[in-house]
Amino acid sequence: MTHAMGRTVGAPALSRRLLMTSMLGGALATRGSTAFAQSDLRLRMFWWGSKERAERTNKVNALYQQTNAGLTVTGESLGWTDYWPRLATQTAGRNAADVLQMDYRYIFEYARRGALLPLDGYQPAALNLGDFSPAAIDSGKVDGKIYGVSLGLNSTALIYDKELIQKLGLKEPSWEMAWSEIGDLAVEISKAAKRDRFTGLADGGRDEPALEVWLGQRGKSLYTTEGKLGFDDKDIAEWFAFWQDLRKRGGCAAPDTQALDRGEIDSSMLTLGKAAMGFHQSNQLVGFQALNKSKLGLTTYPNGGKGAKPGRYLKPAMMWSVSAQSKQQEAAVKLVSFFVADLEAGKLLGVERGVPASDAVRKVVTPTLDELGRTMADYITLISDKVGPLPPPPPRGAGEIQTILRRVNELVGFGKLAPTDGGKQFVIDSTAVLARG
């Protein structure tokens, strides 16, 4: 979901002054609340999402209240666009909910300004992350401390036309295949399919997630922690050259065909019947299958070859955080723990927020899922020990740089720039965007 990693245009920034004032008020209020009895406990939970998510969340809260007499949990929900302005306003006004749904891009801002409670000290008594992998726990850390607990995991995934590739008698793509092998397979598919303007692979040269994995396998990243480019013009020139070679061999979509892709599932090369494989996200399998009659498969992006780093990482689809303003911090942490570690809660939540990060919950939930849900769950299990750390969050202007990547890749594809010149142009334009801040 593109919105899950994007900055909301017009969302008010957290005011440091207002926030510090609110934090002081919250701290004083907390000291004065020690007389709260169990029967007085009231928690507020705030999240973004659909009606289905609200129903699942409320069911878990109801289940939790059954075993915690005297505790009341009140849920509040908005759409993504409205959520962040409301959260900023509530935080500045000392009225933030106790438990907050948090996104990876925003957690750094909220944690570093003191709006979120560090959760490390609550393990394991109040917060049970015993069945989380280290990577899943790290996905909620900011500056070494846990400020968010993953509600579901997601990662990059190559989605492909399984039925077609089987009919053609070719080997399906797998996590053991390197970039060159996927390229060779794409050429074989193009030749075997014998369809007009149909290729084995969509043009991934313009896809930021594919570039990020490719860079990560070489020990580099899209951005540094200082918000600069994490690679140079030679790296990106080599990337453009790989795709230019594949275009010439007929393995990936021609630029005028690829231009039909608007970045949505319904306009992707796979859905339009223009390619057999494409670079996407694991949680998009359901959406792709809904629009494709042919049976689809799921595997990793190509690997970087022997000795390369994983490149991919587990991304929290979303997280629970606890407000530093909460007057019932331990109770709020226990509620978070119930959501992510309790087996019955896991059954109620399913994979609506992503595949459960807890291995124990995932094992219980998986048999209750349909085939597509199980495929996504199995995929997360497969890659859990084949991932690297989360990269630094994208800096301001990253969205514009995605557009530059597409534009320069297209210029190379149409033969208006050589890959080397494309690499230089990309770095010049992207550096200028980052310098503006």
Side-chain angles (χ1 to χ4, degrees):
M1 300 186 293
T2 54
H3 71 248
M5 294 299 289
R7 182 175 290 280
T8 303
V9 176
L14 270 180
S15 161
R16 184 183 298 276
R17 183 176 180 181
L18 284 174
L19 186 57
M20 292 303 293
T21 303
S22 72
M23 296 305 301
L24 177 60
L28 292 173
T30 300
R31 293 191 186 99
S33 66
T34 52
F36 271 79
Q38 179 69 22
S39 59
D40 296 319
L41 278 177
R42 292 180 180 274
L43 294 175
R44 288 169 53 216
M45 176 177 279
F46 190 30
W47 69 90
W48 73 83
S50 64
K51 180 182 177 183
E52 180 183 353
R53 179 172 300 168
E55 291 174 349
R56 290 175 182 269
T57 304
N58 288 330
K59 286 180 180 177
V60 174
N61 281 331
L63 179 64
Y64 189 64
Q65 290 171 104
Q66 288 176 12
T67 54
N68 290 271
L71 174 67
T72 301
V73 182
T74 302
E76 309 166 40
S77 180
L78 287 174
W80 167 270
T81 303
D82 295 329
Y83 179 84
W84 296 104
R86 177 73 66 85
L87 179 58
T89 301
Q90 289 183 342
T91 302
R94 293 182 293 172
N95 190 35
D98 301 279
V99 179
L100 309 166
Q101 192 167 284
M102 186 54 59
D103 180 75
Y104 179 65
R105 184 176 294 242
Y106 285 92
I107 193 171
F108 287 80
E109 178 181 355
Y110 275 82
R112 287 173 175 169
R113 294 199 171 188
L116 302 181
L117 181 71
L119 305 176
D120 306 70
Y122 291 93
Q123 292 188 88
L127 181 60
N128 177 13
L129 301 181
D131 289 313
F132 276 49
S133 68
I137 294 174
D138 289 348
S139 69
K141 286 185 176 178
V142 176
D143 300 329
K145 294 183 179 179
I146 302 172
Y147 287 96
V149 179
S150 176
L151 277 160
L153 298 175
N154 192 28
S155 190
T156 53
L158 192 75
I159 298 179
Y160 63 95
D161 190 332
K162 185 183 185 77
E163 187 174 321
L164 172 65
I165 294 175
Q166 288 180 343
K167 282 182 179 177
L168 294 175
L170 298 173
K171 184 179 181 180
E172 293 181 42
S174 76
W175 67 274
E176 298 172 308
M177 298 177 76
W179 287 93
S180 61
E181 293 172 298
I182 288 293
D184 291 342
L185 173 61
V187 174
E188 288 186 65
I189 293 171
S190 301
K191 292 178 179 177
K194 299 178 181 176
R195 295 182 187 173
D196 183 43
R197 305 189 71 75
F198 177 87
T199 54
L201 188 59
D203 184 349
R206 66 182 214 156
D207 288 330
E208 185 186 73
L211 173 61
E212 183 175 43
V213 169
W214 187 81
L215 289 169
Q217 290 166 348
R218 297 165 176 236
K220 299 188 177 183
S221 61
L222 283 174
Y223 302 104
T224 67
T225 54
E226 293 77 28
K228 308 294 184 183
L229 287 180
F231 56 95
D232 60 26
D233 61 314
K234 295 181 179 60
D235 295 313
I236 190 71
E238 190 174 341
W239 174 251
F240 289 141
F242 172 82
W243 290 101
Q244 182 70 336
D245 175 67
L246 201 53
R247 283 185 208 101
K248 290 179 178 177
R249 296 166 60 202
C252 76
D256 55 340
T257 302
Q258 187 65 49
L260 298 172
D261 187 347
R262 303 186 306 276
E264 304 291 342
I265 292 176
D266 61 355
S267 65
S268 69
M269 293 294 96
L270 186 61
T271 301
L272 292 179
K274 300 294 185 183
M277 302 181 287
F279 297 91
H280 304 289
Q281 302 290 318
S282 59
N283 67 330
Q284 292 181 307
L285 179 62
V286 173
F288 270 97
Q289 191 61 79
L291 295 178
N292 284 267
K293 293 181 180 178
S294 194
K295 186 175 182 179
L296 304 180
L298 188 75
T299 189
T300 63
Y301 284 10
N303 67 55
K306 188 176 182 180
K309 297 179 182 299
R312 74 187 72 86
Y313 53 88
L314 285 174
K315 182 172 61 180
M318 56 203 73
M319 296 171 272
W320 279 139
S321 292
V322 173
S323 170
Q325 302 169 2
S326 174
K327 299 174 184 177
Q328 311 292 343
Q329 294 178 340
E330 184 168 345
V333 174
K334 287 181 177 178
L335 177 59
V336 169
S337 185
F338 184 75
F339 263 79
V340 300
D342 185 85
L343 302 184
E344 294 305 315
K347 291 178 184 177
L348 291 172
L349 293 170
V351 293
E352 195 278 329
R353 281 183 168 97
V355 176
S358 163
D359 183 59
V361 175
R362 192 159 61 238
K363 288 177 179 175
V364 170
V365 170
T366 299
T368 69
L369 302 175
D370 60 16
E371 183 179 357
L372 288 177
R374 287 197 301 274
T375 300
M376 289 191 294
D378 291 344
Y379 180 73
I380 294 299
T381 299
L382 169 70
I383 68 170
S384 288
D385 61 352
K386 304 177 183 66
V387 295
L390 272 169
R396 191 181 298 274
E400 190 174 345
I401 293 175
Q402 281 185 303
T403 303
I404 294 172
L405 177 63
R406 293 189 178 198
R407 173 169 55 81
V408 175
N409 182 66
E410 193 169 273
L411 289 171
V412 174
F414 279 115
K416 296 181 178 179
L417 281 178
T420 302
D421 295 331
K424 293 176 181 175
Q425 189 66 56
F426 177 87
V427 170
I428 290 171
D429 293 351
S430 300
T431 302
V433 169
L434 294 174
R436 290 203 307 266

